[in-house]
Amino acid sequence: MNTSPRLRSLWPLLCSAPALLLPTLAQAQSPAPAPAGRSLVALYDAPTITRRCTAELKATRTAIAAMEKGRDPARLLADFNRLQLRSASFGNPVYLLANVSPSKTVRDAAQACVEKLSPLSTELYQSVPLYRRVQALQPADAVDARYREELLENFEDSGASLPADKRARAKAISDELEVLGLAFQKAVNEDPSTVTITVAEAAGLPEAWLKERKRDAEGRLVLGMDYPTVVPFLTNASNEEARRKLWTMFQNQGGEANLQRLDRALKLRHELAQLHGQPDYATMVLKRRMAQTPQAVEDFLQGVRKALDAGELRELAELRAEKAAQLGLPLEQVQVQRWDTSFLQERLKRSRYAVDQEKLRAYFPTDASVAFAIRLAERLYGVRFVAAKVPVWHPEVRYYDVFEADGKTFVGSVYLDLFPREGKYNHAAAFGVVPGSSLAKLRPASVLVTNFNRQGLDHNELETLLHEFGHVLHGVFSQTRYADQAGTSVKRDFVEAPSQMFEEWARRPETLAVLAEVCKDCPRLSAEQLQQLDRARTFGRAMRYSRQWQYASYDMALHTGTPKPALATWVALEKSLPLGYVEGTRFPAGFGHLMGGYGAGYYGYLWSEVMALDMLSAFQGRLMDPAVGRRYRELILSRGGEVPPQAMVEAFLGRKPGTEAFFREIAGQR
């Protein structure tokens, strides 16, 4: 997942952490780029956040007022860039802190500060004087023209072109939506839910997993909702009732309050669309994206559904037969439940392909896997990662300066926050904490936040690592003129493409061979094992894509037409699918994407994969070809949002992108 900007966000690239190193505005415009992590360090405690928050709020409003009075057209875009960098230098680290600080006091202070700062975006883009200045601007070149176009879209989407009364209402809606989104994610991050089971009920889990779990006074296992706990348990625990309990609790993260927040957000988004003269939120949002219309998305999703129907039913039948065989019951007496699917798929993969995800952790030790991701980037894109000691928000956080291959030219900064802890963002995501800007001579910094097993990764987690690292590289390689267009600040239905493409480097013998370069003592998978691993990966493909289709269809259902109750809409959709709905669960309460920028945009995961698989064809099967890698870095990763995605992909491929590779993939024909 990428935490790229929300609609009209004043902060181009937001993040999550407790204490961070950040450049001041003066340093952001120094004569030569320097490592952001070495310029100025501000270790934010709660009182500092609160004090600085008030000062930054006042300073930003003063800067906006000064821009409104400006008269020099030649300085206007540079002034916007300077304002965005100022806001990012404080706001991005504070947003990071709200998500990953080990201190609840710091997280709470950061959350309160972000809520105070969130209205600034709408205030900026509702400024009629600034709107008129941008309208009158004559851009100097194509980059300036693109930035001017995006600024005008931000002004229009924020309500600058609306009558005063509607503009005021649009601001109130936007401000409330920001607060709802922050509260929603905080409720998920800090959800205290646990499930207590006996050691016997954890049969099937490896000893190393058991040793890392908390115990109560009676020696029972206390299972939290973090991924290193939940995913291995649902995949390996042979006790169906224990799986049911943990799966059900996991589906209820966020609680009833989050359902109320989501319902409120849906009504506000619809009202916002109405203010803008649009029939619904999806129509309003999609006009700024590659898809452009809800109908285009619906047509695309219908094509996906048609391609998956037969395969999903076939896979479910195989799981049902496996469960019947395990239980020794006639097929007609057996029903596959949602908490069964991961477990049954894993059993079939072991029996058919001799692939055991837990045993794969020995092949992919966590430190070696991180070194593997770094070495891939170094070889493919011609850079060097140099570890350095800098102040960080937790002792386990790692920091790297990234240089060109010559070791002299600084590219950007990378932080890795890899392991779970209480109160931390509990999924995997990349956070852009410093937006790059060639105009300001400022290099970018990105943070990778995951919740990995310390001992090793299974193959699914290795793919997750490369996926999120793909987002990080998209941010770090950014060389855009303006901060607003830096890195992952691209159209929402393209933002996942670079990260999805990089997943392929976790699957190929040619690329996995690089692991031996960074871990000579790691066991190596044989050619036969790699073939089996690939076959195992493709097993269950239809069900995986069907789940993505379900999420995307649900998102579109919520945002197309008049608002619908979030939970009831989910229940109706689940009941229409083969596995059905499990009474008492409320998955939407923990579906952070819908409140974190992916509203009317979750389809982008599938849409982006169309681009990703087509771009992959440029490598012609040679994924470690540095010439293609450098060209990809130059034409795609470095350009951020300066160029429309369609044009970037066409330039890279030398032709218009197509859907053939994607539909071959979901049909299992690749």
Side-chain angles (χ1 to χ4, degrees), residues 634-646:
E634 177 186 353
L635 295 177
I636 304 292
L637 299 181
S638 72
R639 300 306 301 275
E642 277 187 347
V643 179
Q646 183 88 6

Side-chain angles (χ1 to χ4, degrees), residues 507-580:
R507 302 167 183 163
R508 307 293 183 90
E510 174 194 10
T511 57
L512 286 172
V514 176
L515 187 62
E517 297 178 14
V518 297
C519 185
K520 299 188 184 302
D521 296 330
C522 289
R524 298 188 63 179
L525 295 168
S526 67
E528 182 181 357
Q529 285 176 306
L530 288 172
Q531 289 178 351
Q532 294 291 76
L533 185 61
D534 189 59
R535 294 190 184 104
R537 184 185 69 83
T538 60
F539 178 76
R541 180 199 316 258
M543 291 181 64
R544 286 198 308 275
Y545 278 107
S546 178
R547 195 63 167 168
Q548 289 299 303
W549 171 89
Q550 183 181 353
Y551 294 153
S553 297
Y554 174 62
D555 173 34
M556 290 301 294
L558 291 181
H559 292 101
T560 306
T562 56
K564 309 166 188 67
L567 183 57
T569 304
W570 175 257
V571 171
L573 179 58
E574 286 238 287
K575 285 184 175 179
S576 72
L577 298 172
L579 284 172

Side-chain angles (χ1 to χ4, degrees), residues 298-360:
E298 292 296 341
D299 291 345
F300 172 63
L301 292 177
Q302 285 179 17
V304 172
R305 182 71 263 168
K306 184 178 180 180
L308 295 176
D309 279 341
E312 183 178 19
L313 292 175
R314 181 177 62 252
E315 289 172 2
L316 279 171
E318 292 178 284
L319 297 187
R320 188 180 180 199
E322 173 67 15
K323 185 173 181 179
Q326 286 183 27
L327 298 176
L329 295 173
L331 194 62
E332 60 271 15
Q333 295 182 21
V334 173
Q335 181 67 42
V336 174
Q337 304 292 345
R338 290 195 176 274
W339 52 82
D340 291 330
T341 56
S342 295
F343 174 73
L344 294 173
Q345 285 176 345
E346 181 68 8
R347 290 289 295 261
L348 283 172
K349 287 177 182 180
R350 291 178 188 178
S351 62
R352 291 182 181 181
Y353 311 113
V355 171
D356 183 332
Q357 286 287 351
E358 284 302 312
K359 290 183 179 179
L360 285 174

Side-chain angles (χ1 to χ4, degrees), residues 332-494:
E332 60 271 15
Q333 295 182 21
V334 173
Q335 181 67 42
V336 174
Q337 304 292 345
R338 290 195 176 274
W339 52 82
D340 291 330
T341 56
S342 295
F343 174 73
L344 294 173
Q345 285 176 345
E346 181 68 8
R347 290 289 295 261
L348 283 172
K349 287 177 182 180
R350 291 178 188 178
S351 62
R352 291 182 181 181
Y353 311 113
V355 171
D356 183 332
Q357 286 287 351
E358 284 302 312
K359 290 183 179 179
L360 285 174
R361 296 187 190 280
Y363 293 87
F364 306 120
T366 305
D367 285 346
S369 297
V370 171
F372 166 64
I374 289 173
R375 182 62 60 86
L376 288 175
E378 290 178 330
R379 292 263 303 275
L380 196 60
Y381 301 121
V383 295
R384 286 179 55 194
F385 280 67
V386 179
K389 293 291 185 181
V390 298
V392 290
W393 52 93
H394 188 275
E396 291 183 319
V397 173
R398 309 172 189 185
Y399 171 83
Y400 297 86
D401 288 326
V402 184
F403 295 92
E404 297 290 356
D406 61 12
K408 299 176 182 178
T409 306
F410 179 65
V411 174
S413 303
V414 172
Y415 298 83
L416 307 180
D417 188 348
L418 301 173
F419 306 119
R421 58 181 175 269
E422 187 175 351
K424 178 185 170 184
Y425 180 86
N426 69 349
H427 204 335
F431 295 81
V433 72
V434 177
S437 167
S438 62
L439 180 65
K441 294 184 171 59
L442 178 66
R443 297 303 191 194
S446 291
V447 181
L448 175 63
V449 178
T450 63
N451 289 273
F452 287 144
N453 183 306
R454 286 176 169 79
Q455 276 65 53
L457 310 184
D458 64 24
H459 193 253
N460 294 329
E461 291 164 346
L462 184 67
E463 289 183 344
T464 296
L465 170 62
L466 292 193
H467 176 102
E468 300 303 341
F469 205 65
H471 283 310
V472 167
L473 296 176
H474 197 181
V476 168
F477 290 149
S478 177
Q479 295 182 1
T480 60
R481 182 180 299 169
Y482 299 111
D484 272 342
Q485 297 175 323
T488 56
S489 295
V490 299
K491 291 186 182 296
R492 178 66 67 179
D493 43 10
F494 182 73

Side-chain angles (χ1 to χ4, degrees), residues 118-393:
S118 63
L120 291 174
S121 172
T122 307
E123 289 178 22
L124 171 66
Y125 291 118
Q126 281 200 345
S127 168
V128 174
L130 279 176
Y131 179 40
R132 289 173 180 164
R133 287 193 67 193
V134 175
Q135 281 182 310
L137 180 70
Q138 296 298 315
D141 57 18
V143 172
D144 281 8
R146 171 89 172 146
Y147 188 32
R148 174 183 177 272
E149 177 187 356
E150 291 185 348
L151 286 173
L152 288 174
E153 290 176 354
N154 287 343
F155 279 111
E156 291 163 5
D157 291 345
S158 293
S161 59
L162 296 175
D165 58 336
K166 290 186 177 181
R167 188 162 64 246
R169 180 57 188 153
K171 182 181 186 307
I173 290 172
S174 297
D175 292 349
E176 186 176 352
L177 284 171
E178 289 288 343
V179 173
L180 287 169
L182 292 167
F184 188 101
Q185 188 58 55
K186 184 178 178 66
V188 175
N189 290 352
E190 299 184 358
D191 192 304
S193 302
T194 59
V195 170
T196 302
I197 63 170
T198 65
V199 174
E201 289 177 303
L205 275 298
E207 189 64 30
W209 183 93
L210 293 171
K211 286 181 179 178
E212 290 188 354
R213 305 283 77 80
K214 293 180 180 179
R215 309 268 179 139
D216 66 9
E218 298 175 19
R220 295 176 300 179
L221 300 169
V222 180
L223 308 183
M225 298 297 106
D226 57 288
Y227 277 75
T229 295
V230 174
V231 174
F233 192 87
L234 295 179
T235 303
N236 296 286
S238 57
N239 187 305
E240 181 178 350
E241 175 58 18
R243 291 199 309 272
R244 184 197 66 77
K245 287 194 293 186
L246 186 61
W247 181 90
T248 301
M249 187 65 73
F250 190 69
Q251 296 296 307
N252 281 285
Q253 287 184 97
E256 182 63 31
N258 265 5
L259 286 179
Q260 295 174 11
R261 291 181 182 111
L262 179 54
D263 281 333
R264 176 63 177 163
L266 295 173
K267 292 177 181 177
L268 290 171
R269 288 170 181 168
H270 185 71
E271 183 184 353
L272 187 63
Q274 298 279 295
L275 288 174
H276 286 277
Q278 300 293 341
D280 51 42
Y281 186 73
T283 302
M284 186 183 82
V285 167
L286 290 173
K287 68 181 180 179
R288 307 299 191 201
R289 296 180 181 164
M290 295 184 75
Q292 295 193 319
T293 67
Q295 189 59 55
V297 176
E298 292 296 341
D299 291 345
F300 172 63
L301 292 177
Q302 285 179 17
V304 172
R305 182 71 263 168
K306 184 178 180 180
L308 295 176
D309 279 341
E312 183 178 19
L313 292 175
R314 181 177 62 252
E315 289 172 2
L316 279 171
E318 292 178 284
L319 297 187
R320 188 180 180 199
E322 173 67 15
K323 185 173 181 179
Q326 286 183 27
L327 298 176
L329 295 173
L331 194 62
E332 60 271 15
Q333 295 182 21
V334 173
Q335 181 67 42
V336 174
Q337 304 292 345
R338 290 195 176 274
W339 52 82
D340 291 330
T341 56
S342 295
F343 174 73
L344 294 173
Q345 285 176 345
E346 181 68 8
R347 290 289 295 261
L348 283 172
K349 287 177 182 180
R350 291 178 188 178
S351 62
R352 291 182 181 181
Y353 311 113
V355 171
D356 183 332
Q357 286 287 351
E358 284 302 312
K359 290 183 179 179
L360 285 174
R361 296 187 190 280
Y363 293 87
F364 306 120
T366 305
D367 285 346
S369 297
V370 171
F372 166 64
I374 289 173
R375 182 62 60 86
L376 288 175
E378 290 178 330
R379 292 263 303 275
L380 196 60
Y381 301 121
V383 295
R384 286 179 55 194
F385 280 67
V386 179
K389 293 291 185 181
V390 298
V392 290
W393 52 93

